Amino acid sequence: MVGEWQPSTNRFGDAGLKGLADTIRAHGMGLGLWLEPEVIGVKSPLAQSLPDDAFFQRHGVRVCDSGRYLLDFRSPAAREHVTRTVDRLIDDFGAVFFKFDYNTVPGVGTDLDAESAGAGLLGHCRAYLDWLDDLRRRHPDVMIENCGSGAMRADYAQLQRLDLQSTSDQCDPLIYAAIAAGAGLTILPEQQGNWGYAQQEMDDETAVFTLATGVLGRLYLSGFLNRMDDTRLGLVRDAVALHRRILAEQRDLVPFWPSRMPDFNGDWLIAGLRHCDFAANAAGAANTATEAGTETAADAATANADDQSPDYVIVWRRSGTPSVNMPLPSGAKIEQIFPDPNHPSTRLKPSRGPSNAWIRKRSVSTRPHPSSHPPVSSPFTAPDPLKSRRAGQPSRSAWRCVSL
C-alpha cells in the first residue's frame, strides 16, 4: 500500500523484487525505485498506527488529497518512518536510485502547532530539506531524482540537494520538445531529466524527434525494447551512445539558444549546449598564477587546447515552413550526428508527417569575441518527404542532433 512501500508479491515473478534486483545488477546496471515519501494511503495500517501529529491538519482534521494523508516532517514519528523505509529499501534490495514523487496538493498547509497554515507548511518544507540533507550524508552514493507530477517542485532548495529533476510527465513528443528547449533557463543540463520514449509503432521521424529531446540533458529512456525491430533498436542505441558522449563533456557546457528564446507554440525550436569561453579568463588567471608560481598557467593552456571542442545544437520542426535560418559564428562547420547518416542500422524511412529533429555539432577553428565577427545565417531545411504533407497536418517527426 501507499506509504508502506513493501515489495509486491505478484508483479515480479517467482524471484520477487530481490531476484529482479540481482538480475539487474548481473547485467551491469543498478536498481532504481519510485517512491512518494511524503504520503500515506488512507487505507494503509500506518494511517492508524502513526500519531495524528505526523500528518497535515487543518482545524483538527487531517488533510486528505487523492486518497492520501500528507506527512508532516516536523514530526519525529513521520521522519523516522520515512528514514526507516528508505534505509530498508537500500539495505534489502540494494537500491542505488530513487525517484521521489509528489502527486498531492497540500493546499494552504497545516495549522497544527503553527500560527497559520502557511507557517506550518513552511516548517514542514524546511524539515523535509533537513531530512534530505541527513539522507544524503548517510547514503552519499545513492542518486535521487526530484519529481512532483512532472516538475511541479522544481525549486532551487531541492535542486541544490538532489541529482536530477524531471522536467515533465508530458507524453506528447511535440509538446515535450518545447519543454526541453526551454528547460535550460532554470535547470542545469546535468539535472534535466527529459523523456525520450521511442515506441516501435512510431514512424521513424517521430522516434528521432522524441529521442533527440532527451540527448542534451539527462536522457530518461522509456519504451518497450522487446517490441522493437533492429532498425528501431539501432536508433535507440545511437541516441544512448551520443548521450553518453555528451555527458562526458556536460560539466563544461552551458545552454544557449542560437536563434531566439524558444516559443512554446512555435513551429521551430532550437536549443543547444556550448563550451564556455574559459580561455580568456584562464589566460588572465595564468598571468597572475605565473607570478605566484602556481600551476594555473598549465590549466589555461589546457583550456585553450580544449577550445576546439564541438558545441551541440538540436533543431525541432513541428510544423510551418520547411526551413529556418540560424545565426552561427563565422567559420563554423556543421555536422549531423543524430541520427547518424552513415549508420546503416538507422537509415530512416520517409515520414508522411512534416516534423523533424536533428542534433548537430558545430566546430570553429577559433572563438573570437562575438563583436569581432558578425554571425552568419545557416539554413536548416526539412527533408523532401515533408513537402508532400497535407495542408494543415500537424508535424510529427524529429530533427536531428547536430554538433556545432
Side-chain angles (χ1 to χ4, degrees), residues 14-15 40 45 104 123 128 149 158 182 205 217 219 225 282 351:
D14 295 337
I40 299 290
T104 57
Y128 178 67
S149 296
Q158 299 209 46
E205 288 290 358
L219 175 58
L225 295 177
S351 170

Side-chain angles (χ1 to χ4, degrees), residues 217-302:
R218 298 300 291 268
L219 175 58
Y220 283 7
L221 186 62
S222 179
F224 294 95
L225 295 177
N226 60 316
R227 302 178 186 175
M228 294 182 180
D229 59 24
D230 290 342
T231 299
R232 184 55 45 84
L233 279 173
L235 186 66
V236 173
R237 290 191 183 101
D238 281 0
V240 171
L242 174 60
H243 178 57
R244 287 174 173 168
R245 165 181 158 184
I246 293 172
L247 283 180
E249 308 175 45
Q250 212 171 47
R251 62 179 294 176
D252 298 321
L253 297 169
V254 296
F256 79 117
W257 295 267
S259 180
R260 59 177 180 268
M261 301 307 296
D263 180 350
F264 191 84
N265 297 311
D267 295 334
W268 290 79
L269 301 166
I270 303 175
L273 297 177
R274 66 181 175 189
H275 289 78
C276 286
D277 190 5
F278 293 118
N281 293 335
N287 293 333
T288 303
T290 302
E291 297 174 1
T294 68
E295 297 180 357
T296 310
D299 297 337
T302 301

Side-chain angles (χ1 to χ4, degrees), residues 38 60 87 93-94 134 142 155 164 245 255 336 350-351 378:
E38 296 169 75
D87 287 351
F93 304 103
D134 179 66
V142 172
D155 61 82
L164 302 173
R245 165 181 158 184
Q336 178 181 314
S351 170
S378 176

Side-chain angles (χ1 to χ4, degrees), residues 88-170:
R88 171 174 52 81
L89 295 173
I90 294 172
D91 295 340
D92 291 357
F93 304 103
V96 295
F97 176 93
F98 286 100
K99 180 185 182 78
F100 281 178
D101 213 338
Y102 192 79
N103 297 307
T104 57
V105 179
V108 295
T110 173
D111 59 17
L112 181 66
D113 298 329
E115 294 182 355
S116 66
L121 178 61
L122 179 61
H124 159 77
C125 291
R126 289 172 172 170
Y128 178 67
L129 294 175
D130 290 341
W131 178 81
L132 284 177
D133 289 338
D134 179 66
L135 177 63
R136 301 316 301 259
R137 283 192 293 268
R138 292 185 296 105
H139 301 288
D141 296 327
V142 172
M143 181 176 287
I144 303 175
E145 171 199 343
N146 184 39
C147 189
S149 296
M152 299 299 288
R153 300 182 80 186
D155 61 82
Y156 289 110
Q158 299 209 46
L159 289 172
Q160 178 186 5
R161 292 165 169 83
L162 302 180
D163 303 282
L164 302 173
Q165 173 64 56
S166 175
T167 56
S168 181
D169 282 346
Q170 177 57 242

Side-chain angles (χ1 to χ4, degrees), residues 6 106 154 174 179 224 293 302 399:
Q6 296 289 341
L174 295 178
I179 295 170
F224 294 95
T302 301
W399 274 45

Side-chain angles (χ1 to χ4, degrees), residues 27 57 140 157 215 225 278:
H27 285 79
Q57 297 182 43
V215 166
L225 295 177
F278 293 118

